[in-house]
Amino acid sequence: MQIIPPCFFALFLTNLICLHLSSAYNILYQVCSSTRNESANSTYSFNLDKLLSSLSTEAVAKRGFHTNTIGAALDQISGLVLCRGDVNSSICGNCINQSFTDLSNLCPYSTEATIFYDFCLLRYSNQQFLNSTDNSQQVYKVREEGQIRNNSRSNIAAKNYFNNEVNTLLSSVSNQAAYDSKKGFATGIIYITEPLPVIYGLSQCTPDFSSNTCHACLQDLLDQMPKRFDGWKGGRILGVRCNLRYEIFPFFDGNPNLQIGSISEASATGDQPTQPPPMNSPSSTSKGD
Ligand SMILES: *[C@@H]1O[C@H](CO)[C@@H](O)[C@H](O)[C@H]1NC(C)=O
Ligand SMILES: *[C@@H]1O[C@H](CO)[C@@H](O)[C@H](O)[C@H]1NC(C)=O
Ligand SMILES: *[C@@H]1O[C@H](CO)[C@@H](O)[C@H](O)[C@H]1NC(C)=O
Ligand SMILES: *[C@@H]1O[C@H](CO)[C@@H](O)[C@H](O)[C@H]1NC(C)=O
Ligand SMILES: *[C@@H]1O[C@H](CO)[C@@H](O)[C@H](O)[C@H]1NC(C)=O
Ligand SMILES: *[C@@H]1O[C@H](CO)[C@@H](O)[C@H](O)[C@H]1NC(C)=O
């Protein structure tokens, strides 16, 4: 497979392009810890290198998800990589490789590390975590651009309405991801009236989870939303095993798997959509793919 690193062409073009493309691989969050210090030449470090390179190759080959365990006893190391369900193999491979580079700079000789990007996440540990459904190492983010405030009666009404719509969207998208998708991934949109015409949402579990396990994982994130995302016009909760995100602009590739409401309902009472979302069929419930 021919895969081009994000800044490769930029050497010959302009820095602007490089910055733009590499921003897709900005670290959202990383955490590393060491229960012991590994040296560059230890068996553990050797196993780690072997693990990372297998994760990259296999995840790209297996459409975005792979786990592996290398070595034995104290030098055993397990890893997991997950690419966002809508990204293609070049973006997935570039993102995973970027994570190796970043981890070797930020977490040298760590026995355990987790790193999140827009398009992928990676976790490795000397603890065997692959047979667990634990979704710890969670991080949440809101969009800095705006929160509907509690400063007037109409704002409070607008905020409650917005929160409800976000919840309706992400509950439905999470159901779709858990019970009606091929790889635990689904996207959706909901038409609203205020403050913007459309909310975009995404839910994902690692595809090794059963439907019920995936749903339970996402439900735990949904339960946190009222306290995390009160009125925020975008947000995400990232975990190693499942994650969700919503925005008031399109941020995923391809048609949404789920559409709630319609443009006409929304525009009857509110704003006209400035930018109709990509869509092939109304109330589409095609399988996430
Ligand atoms: C590992 O080495 C670093 C630098 O020498 C030191 O600061 C740290 O405390 C050590 N960690 C452990 C777990 O021994
Ligand atoms: C690691 O091994 C290489 C080759 O055997 C050697 O040159 C290097 O000095 C070793 N580094 C450490 C930190 O032991
Ligand atoms: C992967 O997706 C990116 C962004 O959508 C696109 O620019 C690129 O051409 C795609 N690559 C392949 C091999 O499809
Ligand atoms: C990622 O790293 C692997 C292993 O080092 C390599 O085979 C592959 O070509 C790299 N992919 C990209 C997109 O650079
Ligand atoms: C996971 O696997 C490890 C090693 O194989 C084992 O020690 C641990 O008990 C297992 N945990 C669960 C929850 O099955
Ligand atoms: C807005 O009001 C609600 C209900 O009184 C309260 O729970 C929430 O913390 C307030 N939010 C902000 C941002 O002040």
Side-chain angles (χ1 to χ4, degrees):
M1 183 171 304
Q2 183 65 32
I3 294 174
I4 297 158
C7 285
F8 182 79
F9 284 128
L11 297 171
F12 308 101
L13 297 171
T14 72
N15 283 332
L16 199 67
I17 289 172
C18 180
L19 288 174
H20 172 70
L21 289 175
S22 62
S23 72
Y25 305 105
N26 280 348
I27 299 165
L28 296 171
Y29 177 74
Q30 103 276 340
V31 54
C32 28
S33 66
S34 287
T35 45
R36 54 178 206 250
N37 267 345
E38 296 301 334
S39 70
N41 283 350
S42 70
T43 310
Y44 188 83
S45 300
F46 176 77
N47 289 344
L48 178 58
D49 286 345
K50 220 163 112 188
L51 174 80
L52 295 181
S53 101
S54 88
L55 289 177
S56 163
T57 323
E58 293 296 313
V60 169
K62 296 190 175 132
R63 303 177 67 216
F65 173 67
H66 192 59
T67 61
N68 202 0
T69 298
I70 301 243
L74 277 179
D75 292 318
Q76 188 173 73
I77 178 161
S78 296
L80 176 158
V81 290
L82 178 68
C83 286
R84 213 171 73 187
D86 58 325
V87 305
N88 63 28
S89 55
S90 4
I91 291 182
C92 180
N94 283 328
C95 185
I96 294 169
N97 283 11
Q98 183 65 45
S99 74
F100 304 162
T101 311
D102 291 340
L103 285 177
S104 64
N105 292 331
L106 297 164
C107 309
Y109 315 135
S110 293
T111 45
E112 188 162 40
T114 306
I115 192 161
F116 293 102
Y117 300 81
D118 269 346
F119 295 144
C120 71
L121 67 90
L122 179 147
R123 170 163 162 75
Y124 72 78
S125 174
N126 60 340
Q127 307 291 316
Q128 176 54 266
F129 68 96
L130 298 176
N131 55 0
S132 146
T133 59
D134 180 32
N135 193 38
S136 58
Q137 314 278 341
Q138 276 173 33
V139 59
Y140 75 96
K141 283 192 176 292
V142 296
R143 271 198 80 68
E144 306 302 338
E145 272 94 84
Q147 186 183 28
I148 305 167
R149 301 259 172 211
N150 277 351
N151 54 9
S152 74
R153 199 180 285 269
S154 69
N155 274 11
I156 291 169
K159 192 184 70 173
N160 290 340
Y161 167 75
F162 185 77
N163 288 345
N164 274 334
E165 299 297 287
V166 169
N167 191 269
T168 302
L169 172 65
L170 287 180
S171 299
S172 306
V173 171
S174 296
N175 276 330
Q176 174 101 6
Y179 295 108
D180 199 14
S181 72
K182 281 190 212 132
K183 50 178 192 177
F185 175 80
T187 58
I189 60 171
I190 188 166
Y191 290 100
I192 61 170
T193 54
E194 296 285 338
L196 276 173
V198 184
I199 310 172
Y200 299 78
L202 172 160
S203 296
Q204 180 172 30
C205 295
T206 56
D208 58 335
F209 270 9
S210 70
S211 290
N212 286 340
T213 307
C214 174
H215 190 259
C217 187
L218 289 167
Q219 187 61 51
D220 177 60
L221 304 187
L222 290 168
D223 291 344
Q224 298 179 39
M225 289 184 53
K227 72 169 184 274
R228 307 276 190 225
F229 298 141
D230 183 34
W232 287 99
K233 292 178 192 167
R236 53 180 117 181
I237 309 178
L238 304 165
V240 170
R241 288 305 196 156
C242 68
N243 66 81
L244 49 78
R245 180 178 178 187
Y246 71 95
E247 302 287 355
I248 54 174
F249 57 84
F251 64 92
F252 50 78
D253 205 28
N255 294 324
N257 303 118
L258 210 64
Q259 177 193 334
I260 304 169
S262 66
I263 300 174
S264 53
E265 264 171 51
S267 58
T269 40
D271 306 300
Q272 290 295 329
T274 46
Q275 190 186 12
M279 192 67 54
N280 48 12
S281 60
S283 38
S284 140
T285 50
S286 61
K287 306 246 176 199
D289 190 29

